[in-house]
Amino acid sequence: MTNPTACLLIIGNEVLSGRTQDANLKFIATKLGEIGIPLREVRVIPDVPETIIGTVNEVRAKFTYVFTTGGIGPTHDDITAECIAAAFGLPWEPHPEAWARLAAHYARQDPPAEFNAARQRMATMPRGAALIDNPVSVAPGFIIGNVHVMAGVPRIMQAMFEGLAPKLAGGVPVQSRAVHAAGMLEGTIAEGLGAIQARYPQLDIGSYPYYRPEGNGVALVAKGTDLAEVEAATGEITTFITELGYVPVQGEPR
């Protein structure tokens, strides 16, 4: 069985300028791995219509799923929805259900808030879009084709994704095992680790240096969908570390 694949587009000038630090990538990559949808590519792109439209059309043809974060709020630079409508060649128009939800939400405020033109933008989507519920702040994300459009605010995005995840057709969950050793250096393990990788071509085997007040070291991680292979490779990695004279410790360093 071949797992589906995913691409994440992080949309926003504020991320590219350094004004905002992205906090969504790790969450999405981890959650997708758990349901067997490996994240194969991530791009950070600006609030430029031509860039958004071109990138969406490129990656939706290459990956099973595309996820976007950012650019679906009420301000002038929140242009993700209209750009995705253009990418699909669809009208960008009020979504009846989203419109009703937001109108009711602002009417319930004390005192009632105006459902003005800026807020109406959050209910304007490509024609035929399916909604992604937003239990935090009501304004929904949406799905069109294989593109899943979510908020950029981490708390909202995470709530959207948790509701969306059960509806995604995943594959075999990605398994991961780590071994680390204090004092170990990447330069001393490169050749041997490369040989282990060659014996397990279906796995992703990586080395990750860490730095702690009590001492530095390297963590070696094996990932893949075949648990038996992951554990076999981890066994070889453990033996390899021992033979180099280091003390292997199972798991990630604390």
Side-chain angles (χ1 to χ4, degrees):
M1 176 180 177
T2 301
N3 277 18
T5 58
C7 175
L8 171 63
L9 302 181
I10 300 167
I11 301 173
N13 292 339
E14 68 275 15
V15 179
L16 286 167
S17 70
R19 173 66 180 80
T20 299
Q21 182 175 351
D22 175 72
N24 294 323
L25 169 56
K26 183 177 188 300
F27 177 89
I28 291 174
T30 301
K31 292 293 183 178
L32 287 174
E34 290 172 356
I35 56 178
I37 306 175
L39 186 60
R40 293 302 189 200
E41 191 169 312
V42 180
R43 301 190 193 183
V44 183
I45 60 175
D47 298 306
V48 175
E50 295 80 4
T51 303
I52 298 172
I53 294 166
T55 305
V56 166
N57 278 332
E58 177 190 347
V59 299
R60 73 186 177 95
K62 291 171 58 178
F63 299 95
T64 315
Y65 295 103
V66 176
F67 300 90
T68 78
T69 62
I72 59 172
T75 59
H76 71 282
D77 58 346
D78 288 316
I79 60 172
T80 296
E82 57 199 278
C83 290
I84 288 179
F88 278 84
L90 295 169
W92 181 59
E93 62 187 20
H95 187 289
E97 177 60 25
W99 195 279
R101 290 185 192 183
L102 282 163
H105 169 71
Y106 288 110
R108 287 193 299 267
Q109 305 306 302
D110 186 16
E114 180 186 1
F115 185 37
N116 58 24
R119 290 164 173 158
Q120 289 169 11
R121 288 177 57 83
M122 298 187 290
T124 308
M125 301 173 181
R127 178 179 292 175
L131 298 184
I132 300 175
D133 291 337
N134 174 0
V136 177
S137 59
V138 181
F142 64 87
I143 306 166
I144 192 77
N146 63 338
V147 179
H148 302 70
V149 178
M150 299 181 291
V153 177
R155 187 167 67 99
I156 300 174
M157 184 283 298
Q158 291 175 17
M160 285 183 171
F161 188 89
E162 293 289 7
L164 173 64
K167 303 171 187 175
L168 301 174
V172 181
V174 177
Q175 306 287 342
S176 176
R177 297 289 185 272
V179 186
H180 68 277
M184 193 163 63
L185 301 173
E186 283 191 298
T188 64
I189 64 172
E191 184 176 351
L193 191 64
I196 296 173
Q197 175 69 86
R199 291 195 289 276
Y200 296 91
Q202 301 305 314
L203 302 184
D204 293 325
I205 298 175
S207 61
Y208 305 93
Y210 61 89
Y211 305 92
R212 302 288 187 272
E214 62 275 14
N216 305 330
V218 178
L220 305 181
V221 180
K223 293 183 179 180
T225 56
D226 187 325
L227 179 58
E229 279 216 330
V230 170
E231 291 186 337
T234 303
E236 289 198 27
I237 290 169
T238 302
T239 300
F240 170 59
I241 292 172
T242 303
E243 289 174 348
L244 289 176
Y246 301 105
V247 178
V249 180
Q250 301 300 315
E252 298 279 3
R254 294 185 178 182

